[in-house]
Amino acid sequence: MAKSKVSKSAATKRKTQDVVEAAQKRRERQAKADYVSRRWVPPLFITVGVLGGLWLVVYYIAGNRIDFMSALGDWNVLIGMGLMAAAFALSTLWK
């Protein structure tokens, strides 16, 4: 005896649902495999940002008394701002 259209439809839905569930399980396994702990990011970007700020403060307060800072001249501003920009860029890696 031939199967009715309803049972064919139910079988098709079941197959489709099985395919969707299998794809979802694959995505979940891949997401777990792709997860990488980035616990090192917050201490690093805070350290680099504070170092940039301190560089600028020391330059403005005592830059003319420190030999290597006085030799760098206005490049000290670029170094301090560059360190702070690097800290911002590092902060985007934090998940």
Side-chain angles (χ1 to χ4, degrees), residues 23-35:
Q24 184 176 5
K25 286 180 183 178
R26 274 194 308 274
R27 281 193 299 269
E28 288 173 0
R29 280 193 305 260
Q30 186 66 32
K32 287 179 183 176
D34 287 346
Y35 178 75

Side-chain angles (χ1 to χ4, degrees), residues 8-49:
K8 284 183 181 179
S9 175
T12 304
K13 287 180 184 177
R14 210 172 347 188
K15 286 181 184 178
T16 304
Q17 186 177 5
D18 290 343
V19 169
V20 168
E21 287 175 359
Q24 184 176 5
K25 286 180 183 178
R26 274 194 308 274
R27 281 193 299 269
E28 288 173 0
R29 280 193 305 260
Q30 186 66 32
K32 287 179 183 176
D34 287 346
Y35 178 75
V36 176
S37 176
R38 295 191 178 179
R39 298 175 76 184
W40 54 271
V41 173
L44 183 64
F45 83 75
I46 290 170
T47 303
V48 172

